[in-house]
Amino acid sequence: MTQPRTRAELLAVALDAYDALTSLGEDVDDEWTYVNDLSTAWRQRVEAVIAAPSGDGPVTPSQSAAVERLIDEVERVSDPHRAIDWLSTFPQVLLVALGEQP
């Protein structure tokens, strides 16, 4: 991954990983509505952080490393049910890594 320079850039990369996680979770037909509602809510929260004035702020090396490890972890998820578990965990860990409230 190219090193993002701002929080907004780092969060955009993370949202791409989150979209892949959402797609995997959608494979569970009985949970489709839940998956999309959850994904929409958390996406809005992350997008609010991107839009905030601090979104243009710099990313520290430790923040970048933490988010990169988080993305690596969710990219290993192959089971749709595990993906659903991660749909609420991923954004919370992501925001905490950047010093934000989930």
Side-chain angles (χ1 to χ4, degrees), residues 40-74:
T40 298
W42 279 112
R43 177 174 262 288
Q44 288 172 348
R45 174 66 183 109
V46 172
E47 288 173 347
V49 173
I50 291 171
S54 62
D56 288 333
V59 175
T60 67
S62 61
Q63 289 172 326
S64 185
V67 173
E68 193 171 316
R69 285 184 183 165
L70 178 61
I71 290 169
D72 286 345
E73 185 68 27
V74 299

Side-chain angles (χ1 to χ4, degrees), residues 1-6 9-10 13 64 68:
M1 167 168 53
T2 304
Q3 291 297 340
R5 291 173 288 162
T6 67
E9 290 172 354
L10 185 60
V13 171
S64 185
E68 193 171 316

Side-chain angles (χ1 to χ4, degrees), residues 7 42 45-46 49 91-102:
R7 292 163 52 98
W42 279 112
R45 174 66 183 109
V46 172
V49 173
Q92 291 182 65
V93 174
L94 173 65
L95 293 171
V96 168
L98 294 176
E100 294 285 336
Q101 291 291 319

Side-chain angles (χ1 to χ4, degrees), residues 6-42:
T6 67
R7 292 163 52 98
E9 290 172 354
L10 185 60
L11 288 168
V13 171
L15 283 176
D16 288 342
Y18 192 65
D19 290 342
L21 199 60
T22 299
S23 292
L24 182 57
E26 287 175 338
D27 288 346
V28 181
D29 292 333
D30 293 345
E31 299 293 338
W32 192 91
T33 301
Y34 172 74
V35 164
N36 282 282
D37 289 348
L38 186 61
S39 178
T40 298
W42 279 112

Side-chain angles (χ1 to χ4, degrees), residues 21 25 34 38 77 79-91:
L21 199 60
Y34 172 74
L38 186 61
V77 175
D79 178 78
H81 292 92
R82 291 262 313 155
I84 293 170
D85 293 340
W86 271 96
L87 285 175
S88 62
T89 304
F90 179 89

